[in-house]
Amino acid sequence: MSDADDQAFDIELKLLVDAIFLRYHYDFRGYAQASLKRRLTVARDRFGCRSLSQLQDKVLHDPATFPALLDYLTVQVSEMFRDPAYFLALREKIVPLLRTYPSLKFWVAGCSTGEEVYSLAILLREEGLLSRSLIYATDINSHALAKAEAGVFEIDRIPGFTENHRRSGARSSLSDYYTAAYGRAVFDKSLRKHIVFSDHSLATDSVFAEVQLVSCRNVLIYFNRELQDRAVGLFHEALCRKGFLGIGSKESLRFSRHAGSFVDRVREDRIYQKADQP
Ligand SMILES: C[S@@+](CC[C@H](N)C(=O)[O-])C[C@H]1O[C@@H](n2cnc3c(N)ncnc32)[C@H](O)[C@@H]1O
């Protein structure tokens, strides 16, 4: 691409993102530019458009385009017990503190297709806490949320999930929580009874509950600094006194406007605790 083409692409990207916000109220204006560019380039080609302006025309005038485009704008990569060390740290270092609460609320923000939230539910069941827990699982992608709610995963992913689960300090076998049928693993409905799935955007929505722990992993990485600050501000507001925040292994609060409002709890696994205000 020449510099002029590059500049035109950037202008068209800005206009497309503005159009999406004005028409559908999904706000991608604060997303990290480099990955948004990559994803929109793929979408432009996939929708058979010559330019992002042409894609914008489709988005505005063809009602089927935006829901399909949303799958390109958001990244749905996930796995159960992703980064097992994070779940091991939750189990060993955070669960003992959570035990002191008579009832517990959790918020898995950006839950995608549900792998993280089922992992948390299984961990809580293993630790004897699920019966007094409620987990809010939120995302902006309704396709992903529907999949999460169904709790059905392709069977060929199960060996990887099982190994992650084992490395997270499992106290039971993952096979205790699903039934295999027709190439799919259907997770136990009794886990779902403790989960509320809901559409919620970290870019535009506000806090809806007080929780003891927020787990928002591999989501902030797609946001620019300002939007990261907004999201971390929401988490801070949602957390009870001395509540916990877990983020992804490639994410950090170090440069956040809210860095001073949290203390490291398990530094290597990116688990923070809300600081007492002076
Ligand atoms: C890579 S997945 C992370 C899934 C899971 N947390 C994990 O670590 O495996 C990122 C998720 O963030 C969601 N997401 C993107 N923007 C969001 C926003 N503004 N508010 C809430 N979720 C968002 C995407 O739809 C996607 O499901």
Side-chain angles (χ1 to χ4, degrees), residues 32 41 47 71 73-74 81 111 137 162 181 185 193 201 206 217 259 277:
T41 304
F47 285 92
D71 288 339
L73 287 168
T74 56
F81 296 95
C111 67
T162 303
K193 278 206 286 200
S201 171
S206 41
R217 312 198 65 230
Q277 294 306 323

Side-chain angles (χ1 to χ4, degrees), residues 124-144:
L124 292 172
R125 160 108 11 117
E126 288 177 328
E127 300 299 329
L129 291 181
L130 189 63
S131 58
R132 52 172 143 137
S133 296
L134 181 64
I135 309 174
Y136 298 103
T138 61
D139 204 283
I140 55 167
N141 186 308
S142 56
H143 294 149

Side-chain angles (χ1 to χ4, degrees), residues 26 70-71 74-76 107-115 117-118 135-153 192 195-201 205 208:
Y26 280 81
L70 193 56
D71 288 339
T74 56
V75 176
Q76 304 303 329
W107 178 13
V108 178
C111 67
S112 185
T113 39
E115 291 84 342
V117 67
Y118 286 102
I135 309 174
Y136 298 103
T138 61
D139 204 283
I140 55 167
N141 186 308
S142 56
H143 294 149
L145 276 172
K147 190 150 193 255
E149 199 153 5
V152 178
F153 300 98
R192 237 173 302 155
I195 308 173
V196 175
F197 292 95
S198 177
D199 180 77
H200 179 278
S201 171
D205 294 332
F208 51 85

Side-chain angles (χ1 to χ4, degrees), residues 17-109:
V17 162
D18 281 349
I20 289 171
F21 179 62
L22 291 171
R23 185 83 152 85
Y24 300 101
H25 311 294
Y26 280 81
D27 193 355
F28 291 95
R29 294 174 300 175
Y31 282 52
Q33 285 295 296
S35 80
L36 200 53
K37 267 184 172 179
R38 274 197 305 276
R39 283 176 281 133
L40 280 173
T41 304
V42 174
R44 178 197 61 193
D45 298 345
R46 160 70 184 73
F47 285 92
C49 296
R50 205 170 30 81
S51 65
L52 291 189
S53 301
Q54 216 176 52
L55 182 58
Q56 178 183 316
D57 184 68
K58 256 186 192 292
V59 165
L60 289 176
H61 300 291
D62 170 13
T65 301
F66 180 64
L69 180 62
L70 193 56
D71 288 339
Y72 289 86
L73 287 168
T74 56
V75 176
Q76 304 303 329
V77 177
S78 192
E79 53 186 77
M80 286 186 84
F81 296 95
R82 183 178 193 175
D83 304 321
Y86 171 80
F87 288 92
L88 184 62
L90 283 184
R91 197 188 286 280
E92 291 184 341
K93 308 215 168 101
I94 309 302
V95 161
L97 302 163
L98 295 176
R99 283 191 199 290
T100 60
Y101 292 89
S103 67
L104 289 160
K105 285 185 178 166
F106 299 84
W107 178 13
V108 178

